[in-house]
Amino acid sequence: EKGQHLDNAVRKRSPARVLELGSYVGYSAVRISRLLQEGAHLYTVEENADNARLAQENLVHAGLSGSATVLCGTAPSLQDQLQELAPFDFVFLDHKKAMYLEELQRLEAWGILS
């Protein structure tokens, strides 16, 4: 199961600050947030405002809103905010696969990965 692979990666890494690009309705955000250690935090980015709202509602429903923040926009539109929140020690790309390399190169250029 794909979700189990994500769970295993989060457990193995035990990240303190997570960036997810592509929230959709928050399924992965819930999976990641429930595994974070105390004090760790997930920032998940969703371009579609309706999906961002649903992701936030799902995190609240799961009791995880204290360990996750939904940001509405794209990585480029949120660059300043992401740079302020950095560094991130775990990044999960969960949007258009054709953009993965470009997105990673952008994050590296911004200096927000630890």
Side-chain angles (χ1 to χ4, degrees):
E1 175 186 311
K2 291 179 185 178
Q4 190 61 47
H5 291 294
L6 177 58
D7 292 355
N8 290 341
V10 172
R11 282 189 188 103
K12 181 178 180 182
R13 184 77 177 166
S14 190
R17 193 164 293 243
V18 179
L19 175 63
E20 176 187 26
L21 298 180
S23 309
Y24 190 48
V25 296
Y27 175 78
S28 298
V30 168
R31 287 196 79 105
I32 293 168
S33 295
R34 68 187 173 81
L35 297 173
L36 295 178
Q37 301 295 319
E38 186 175 337
H41 202 86
L42 164 72
Y43 296 90
T44 182
V45 175
E46 174 55 45
E47 181 176 14
N48 180 288
D50 291 330
N51 289 343
R53 179 184 49 77
L54 290 170
Q56 183 63 46
E57 289 174 5
N58 286 329
L59 286 161
V60 168
H61 181 73
L64 297 166
S65 61
S67 62
T69 301
V70 179
L71 304 172
C72 188
T74 62
S77 72
L78 296 167
Q79 178 181 354
D80 291 341
Q81 188 172 5
L82 294 175
Q83 287 178 309
E84 288 176 17
L85 295 168
F88 297 98
D89 56 350
F90 190 97
V91 175
F92 181 55
L93 301 178
D94 198 19
H95 57 39
K96 298 174 187 164
K97 288 175 182 46
M99 294 180 60
Y100 285 5
L101 179 58
E102 176 186 338
E103 204 76 88
L104 278 174
Q105 290 171 334
R106 179 181 295 125
L107 298 175
E108 286 179 335
W110 292 347
I112 65 173
L113 305 177
S114 63

